[in-house]
Amino acid sequence: MKKRVLVSFVVFALAVPALVSQAGAGAPVKFRWHIANAFLQTATGISQTGARARADNGDLVTVTGRGRFNSSTGGAAGGGAFLHTTAAGAVVGFGTWTATGVRDFELFGCGVGAGGAELPPNFCGGVLTLDVRLRGISLAAGAVTLDGVLVVTCLIGDSPEDIPAGAEEGITLDVPGAVTFGDLVPEDGGLTLFVSRG
């Protein structure tokens, strides 16, 4: 989570009890994930307009969503919405997406933001790689269903040192054979979070 929104998370944590306490001995494996959604908007007070990534041609994808996953079993559920636009803002396509499984999850840790601010012990960071199915409308091709890979990064750890140098918060999306939005666009309106469920 970015430094400038950590204070808001701390205030939110005082007002709302932690959803699940972090496991004491082992690392947690069950999480809820949030991408630029109402939970994050309430927690930070920052309008969440969507996490964005850019393709080589300048096109942008904007993603929102929520769900849950188990990093041990690879199970995932949930999803959200996406919008594909040109660099100039013209709509190329839009629709919904669902998580179909976990490819990988690298846990940075829980409870401490990149700036060192204390957060709820079940607020966690890391890099989640999800298999996803996108269903939507392409203005050029009509109704489409495509499979893709969504990577979600959140900057929280056990300490600031647990967060890799140069890491940025947000998403990337690869839709093989169609388009790769490989350049994460970090912004306050596209925050992400993993909440441990034990």
Side-chain angles (χ1 to χ4, degrees), residues 47-112:
S47 178
Q48 292 300 292
T49 55
R52 298 194 305 160
R54 184 178 289 109
D56 286 345
N57 67 355
D59 281 9
L60 292 164
V61 68
T62 303
V63 174
T64 61
R66 68 184 180 122
R68 62 186 184 276
F69 71 95
N70 185 316
S71 62
S72 177
T73 66
F82 72 90
L83 173 67
H84 177 183
T85 62
T86 66
V91 174
V92 176
F94 58 91
T96 61
W97 62 274
T98 55
T100 59
V102 176
R103 284 198 175 195
D104 187 54
F105 180 58
E106 176 189 356
L107 178 66
F108 295 161
C110 305
V112 179

Side-chain angles (χ1 to χ4, degrees), residues 96-101 103 130-135 144-150 173-180:
T96 61
W97 62 274
T98 55
T100 59
R103 284 198 175 195
L130 286 172
D131 286 318
V132 298
R133 178 152 294 155
L134 301 100
R135 293 183 174 90
V144 294
T145 299
L146 298 166
D147 291 324
V149 179
L150 178 68
L173 175 64
D174 179 25
V175 185
V179 61
T180 298

